[in-house]
Amino acid sequence: ALRLSLARVSLGDVVSDAVASATPLAAVRRVSLVAANGNWPTVRGSERELSRIVLNLLRNAIRHTPSDRTVVVTGGRDAGAGWLAVTDSCGGIPESDLPRLFEVAFRGEAARTPGGGAGLGLAIVRGLVLAHHGEVSVANVGGGCRFLVRLPAA
C-alpha cells in the first residue's frame, strides 16, 4: 500500500520540472514539448508522486508522437479540483483500446514495436492518481489523444 505524505503543491512547478526533465528525450525524437502558461492550480498531493505522474505521461506522449509534431501540457482549476492535460499528436488510439489503456501490462497493437515500453507507465499513473483521490482519463482529440488528470484542490 502506498502512503502519501500530502502537502500543498504547485502543479505549475511540478509540470515545469517534468517538462525540463523530458525535453532531452523530446529533442532526440524531434518532438516539440510545450507547457502552456496559465492558471496552474495548487493541489493537495505528494510532489514526488505528482512528478512521476506528469513525467510518465510526457514520456508516453513523446514516445508515440511522430517527429516534427507537438506535445502540449495545459492545466487549470474548476469545481474544487485542479487539472492537467497532456495532449499529443499520436494519430489517436483505437477506440477498443481506450478502456484498457491503464491496465497493467496492456499494450495496444500499435505499441508492439521494438524498444517500446513494458505497459507499466500508464498503470502507474492511474495508481498514483487514485492514491491522490483523483481521476485520470483519456480521449481521442483532433489527430492525437488527451490524457486528463483531475486532483483535489488544496
Side-chain angles (χ1 to χ4, degrees):
L2 178 64
R3 294 191 187 272
L4 300 176
S5 178
L6 302 178
R8 293 175 53 90
V9 178
S10 166
L11 206 49
D13 290 346
V14 169
V15 167
S16 178
D17 291 346
V19 166
S21 181
T23 294
L25 174 62
V28 167
R29 305 245 336 148
R30 293 183 23 228
V31 171
S32 297
L33 185 54
V34 177
N37 291 329
N39 191 15
W40 290 103
T42 299
V43 297
R44 185 156 171 73
S46 165
E47 187 169 350
R48 180 175 173 223
E49 280 76 17
L50 291 175
S51 294
R52 188 163 184 195
I53 290 167
V54 178
L55 198 50
N56 279 7
L57 289 174
L58 289 175
R59 287 179 181 155
N60 185 69
I62 292 165
R63 183 181 310 120
H64 294 288
T65 295
S67 296
D68 301 320
R69 300 261 178 97
T70 303
V71 172
V72 179
V73 187
T74 55
R77 66 185 92 219
D78 59 25
W83 61 270
L84 73 92
V86 175
T87 306
D88 63 33
S89 307
C90 70
I93 298 169
E95 291 293 326
S96 60
D97 286 352
L98 289 176
R100 299 191 59 209
L101 215 54
F102 296 102
E103 292 178 10
V104 173
F106 176 75
R107 294 175 60 212
E109 206 55 42
R112 297 181 190 278
T113 57
L120 296 176
L122 294 177
I124 290 169
V125 165
R126 180 179 178 270
L128 291 174
V129 169
L130 292 177
H132 281 86
H133 304 286
E135 301 169 357
V136 62
S137 61
V138 61
N140 287 321
V141 294
C145 57
R146 181 178 193 237
F147 288 84
L148 177 65
V149 175
R150 294 181 51 82
L151 299 162

